[in-house]
Amino acid sequence: GGLQAPIDLWLQSCAAVTLAAALFALGHPGSRTFMALVAAIGLVLGTAYQLTGSLVAVMIAHALYDVWGCVAVQRELRRQGHWAGGSP
């Protein structure tokens, strides 16, 4: 959102969302698959920002996704026997 608003001043909305999503993915390095997923999430969050004009709503959605992701990783680590709880 912090990038998308200024980009939106010099590009059409769709291009601004796409460029901001690409920059969002570059800010979350990892495998190509992970970065593609992050770019897709960036497109969804960027579109939500474009439609609502609310950065707060997008920040809440991002935080909820992050919590879900942490819970999913913890469950997978426990399933594989790598984390029994407590400190990792």
Side-chain angles (χ1 to χ4, degrees):
L3 290 171
Q4 187 174 323
I7 293 170
D8 200 34
L9 295 175
W10 56 274
L11 290 177
Q12 293 181 359
S13 296
C14 184
V17 170
T18 303
L19 180 56
L23 294 171
F24 182 69
L26 289 173
H28 296 77
S31 69
R32 289 182 188 176
T33 302
F34 177 74
M35 290 183 72
L37 175 63
V38 170
I41 292 165
L43 287 171
V44 170
L45 295 176
T47 300
Y49 176 68
Q50 195 70 33
L51 293 173
T52 66
S54 173
L55 191 53
V56 172
V58 172
M59 290 169 66
I60 291 170
H62 186 295
L64 290 172
Y65 175 79
D66 286 349
V67 168
W68 173 83
C70 287
V71 169
V73 167
Q74 184 183 38
R75 283 183 183 158
E76 182 61 18
L77 288 172
R78 282 188 177 153
R79 187 187 72 76
Q80 293 180 10
H82 298 297
W83 188 2
S87 298

